[in-house]
């Protein structure tokens, strides 16, 4: 990998990629390149070693069994854990979100060990949360209102070592009765939002880029036309 490029690693697209999660990679790459930051991105399938030297790691959503398999392989591999210990940025969606925590509910609801990278615990809920979600982000992060799509059976509670990412205005989110959505701690951020999340929420993409590369200038308005239009359309479509 070239030394000065921002290294983005997309973890296990063969197991964890639902609802266009690849869009998160496309969005980060585009918004970095427009700021003059070259990007080297690589997709790592579940039969490959996870490189430890990435700057940003992406994990997408997945069905129950691929999620269990992904967790098992990542635990055995150790690359993502080493990257997290170095302070790499990790952005994890839905199944990816659940599996970076301490434990999550497997295909039959059985507890499955996660990677233990962040202080959350997930289990299977009684109902599946499906549909549009809108949530207001922890103000200290300076990220605009989130819009996304969720589809998950799991529910997630956050321990003392991490903070909720946002408060739910519409939808289910963490689903543990706290009214929260997602989590963050250090440079690790998890969310139930698909959509893909970073395409609908460019300021969340910029937060991740800032964590990895330092402060960034805003993009010219001409580059925000389509993202703004998409956000407005999705937010107007729901009563939040
Ligand atoms: N299998 C997990 C659940 O249902 C995650 C689903 C997803 O990634 N969309 O909770």
């Amino acid at each position: 990998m070239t030394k000065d490029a921002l290294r983005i690693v997309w973890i296990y697209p063969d197991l964890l990629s639902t609802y266009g999660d690849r869009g998160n990679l496309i969005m980060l790459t585009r918004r970095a390149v427009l700021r003059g930051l070259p990007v080297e991105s690589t997709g790592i399938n579940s039969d490959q070693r996870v490189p430890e030297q990435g700057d940003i790691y992406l994990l997408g959503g997945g069905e129950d069994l691929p999620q269990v398999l992904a967790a098992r392989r990542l635990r055995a591999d150790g690359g993502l854990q080493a990257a997290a210990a170095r302070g790499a940025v990790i952005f994890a969606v839905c199944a990816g979100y659940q599996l970076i925590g301490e434990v999550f509910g497997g295909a039959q609801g059985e507890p499955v060990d996660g990677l233990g990278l962040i202080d959350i615990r997930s289990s299977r809920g009684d109902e599946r949360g499906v549909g549009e979600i809108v949530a207001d982000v922890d103000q200290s992060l300076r990220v605009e209102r989130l819009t996304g799509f969720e589809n998950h059976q799991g529910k997630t509670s956050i321990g003392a070592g991490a903070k909720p990412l946002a408060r739910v205005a519409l939808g289910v989110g963490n689903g543990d009765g706290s009214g929260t959505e997602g989590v963050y701690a250090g440079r690790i951020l998890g969310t139930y939002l698909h959509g893909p999340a970073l395409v609908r929420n460019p300021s969340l993409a910029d937060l991740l880029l800032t964590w990895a590369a330092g402060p960034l200038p805003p993009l010219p308005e001409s580059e925000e036309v389509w993202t703004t239009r998409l956000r407005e359309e999705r937010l107007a479509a729901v009563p939040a």
Side-chain angles (χ1 to χ4, degrees), residues 1 82 110 209 240:
M1 283 182 167
E110 74 285 8
L209 289 174

Side-chain angles (χ1 to χ4, degrees), residues 169-182:
L170 175 99
V172 176
N174 289 328
D176 64 336
S178 66
T180 65
E181 148 52 32

Side-chain angles (χ1 to χ4, degrees), residues 1 16 30 37 89 97 100 105 152-153:
M1 283 182 167
L16 301 174
R30 172 87 181 145
L37 284 172
V89 175
Y97 170 32
I100 62 170
H152 54 102
Q153 187 90 32

Side-chain angles (χ1 to χ4, degrees), residues 6 8 23-33 39 56 58 91 198 204-206 208-209:
L6 189 70
I8 305 181
N24 293 328
L25 173 61
I26 295 170
M27 192 69 171
L28 285 175
T29 302
R30 172 87 181 145
R31 295 182 77 82
V33 168
V39 170
I56 302 180
L58 302 177
F91 177 65
L198 300 185
L204 188 59
D206 284 355
L208 302 177
L209 289 174

